[in-house]
């Protein structure tokens, strides 16, 4: 399989943004759909802008025969504050006067999925194209980042997985991650209920 991993770039947005969205559609819809602006609109804006939690500079892609088939965001807890500030700037620019309810919902979700510790590599927005699942692409992205984290002296790897995604949880368990906490969101909007999530960690 002609597969390689590389840093994401703005030109990847057309294929990358749907994969990011697939990693947590309920959460993205809950937070980012506001009026005529939907979650994918914001993710596309943030990704091509490059900065923040959803920017391309914070992501790596898996490329198969020149086509993006997988993606993930990887950052340490030490980077979280700066990434969050950049995301706040994007929200203010994208939503303008409508940003306040979006910001309020974003703050609610940090209690559901709290920020990682400073010496933790956090994995987010991990998505693989449906036609390429089961081929080790997600595992490959994670193994690459585990090696990077160990080299950087980080202590653990962490991610959150929805209880409604048992296949992903099984993958993470095969890589050695274990559930350390479960959080029930108790949040609902426009008929969409956020699922409970399980924080999984691996000591490096």
């Amino acid at each position: 399989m002609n597969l390689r991993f590389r840093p994401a770039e703005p030109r990847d947005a057309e294929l990358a943004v749907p994969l990011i969205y697939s990693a947590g559609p309920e959460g993205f819809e809950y937070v980012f759909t506001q009026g005529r602006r939907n979650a994918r609109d914001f993710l596309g804006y943030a990704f091509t802008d490059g900065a923040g939690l959803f920017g391309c500079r914070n992501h790596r892609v898996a490329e198969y025969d020149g086509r993006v088939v997988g993606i993930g965001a990887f950052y340490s807890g030490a980077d979280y504050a700066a990434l969050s500030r950049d995301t706040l700037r994007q929200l203010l620019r994208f939503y303008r006067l409508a940003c306040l309810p979006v910001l309020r919902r974003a703050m609610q979700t940090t209690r559901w999925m709290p920020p990682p510790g400073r010496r933790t590599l956090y994995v987010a927005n991990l998505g693989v194209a449906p036609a390429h699942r089961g081929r080790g692409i997600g595992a490959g992205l994670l193994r690459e980042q585990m090696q990077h984290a160990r080299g950087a002296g980080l202590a653990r790897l962490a991610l959150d997985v929805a209880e409604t995604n048992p296949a992903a949880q099984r993958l993470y368990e095969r890589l050695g991650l274990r559930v350390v906490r479960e959080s029930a969101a108790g949040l609902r909007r426009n008929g969409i209920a956020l699922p409970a999530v399980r924080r999984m960690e691996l000591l490096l």
Side-chain angles (χ1 to χ4, degrees):
M1 182 167 65
N2 185 17
L3 178 70
R4 73 182 184 111
F5 304 119
R6 62 167 174 80
E9 302 174 9
R11 65 183 174 88
D12 298 320
E14 182 179 357
L15 296 176
V17 170
L19 297 179
I20 292 172
Y21 179 83
S22 73
E26 300 94 346
F28 290 136
E29 289 293 336
Y30 179 83
V31 175
F32 297 125
T33 292
Q34 178 67 32
R36 296 182 179 179
R37 301 265 180 148
N38 64 45
R40 292 195 193 206
D41 291 337
F42 173 72
L43 292 174
Y45 169 79
F47 185 85
T48 54
D49 178 70
L53 295 165
F54 306 101
C56 62
R57 294 198 298 269
N58 194 40
H59 288 74
R60 286 185 70 78
V61 298
E63 190 177 69
Y64 177 68
D65 285 345
R67 183 177 179 85
V68 172
V69 297
I71 194 164
F74 305 93
Y75 53 88
S76 74
D79 298 326
Y80 181 80
L83 291 167
S84 295
R85 286 193 297 270
D86 286 334
T87 302
L88 174 60
R89 172 183 57 79
Q90 292 169 339
L91 291 170
L92 293 172
R93 288 183 177 178
F94 186 78
Y95 293 98
R96 299 185 182 274
L97 294 178
C99 70
L100 288 179
V102 180
L103 292 173
R104 184 176 64 252
R105 294 192 298 269
M107 291 299 296
Q108 288 175 334
T109 62
T110 62
R111 294 193 292 270
W112 178 50
M113 293 190 297
R118 290 186 61 83
R119 295 190 62 217
T120 296
L121 180 71
Y122 187 73
V123 181
N125 309 335
L126 189 66
V128 175
H132 294 271
R133 291 172 186 166
R135 300 184 182 183
I137 292 171
L141 280 165
L142 287 169
R143 288 192 180 101
E144 179 196 56
Q145 290 301 306
M146 288 177 191
Q147 183 176 359
H148 169 77
R150 291 185 181 107
L154 298 179
R156 68 187 67 219
L157 179 135
L159 53 80
D160 289 293
V161 60
E163 68 170 0
T164 53
N165 193 356
Q169 181 172 333
R170 288 193 295 271
L171 165 64
Y172 305 144
E173 287 171 342
R174 288 197 296 271
L175 293 171
L177 285 90
R178 295 292 178 264
V179 175
V180 297
R181 185 180 64 252
E182 183 167 337
S183 301
L187 300 173
R188 179 183 293 270
R189 179 170 178 257
N190 296 335
I192 297 174
L194 298 190
V197 296
R198 293 166 180 153
R199 175 65 56 93
M200 302 185 72
E201 294 185 354
L202 171 68
L203 293 177
L204 298 171

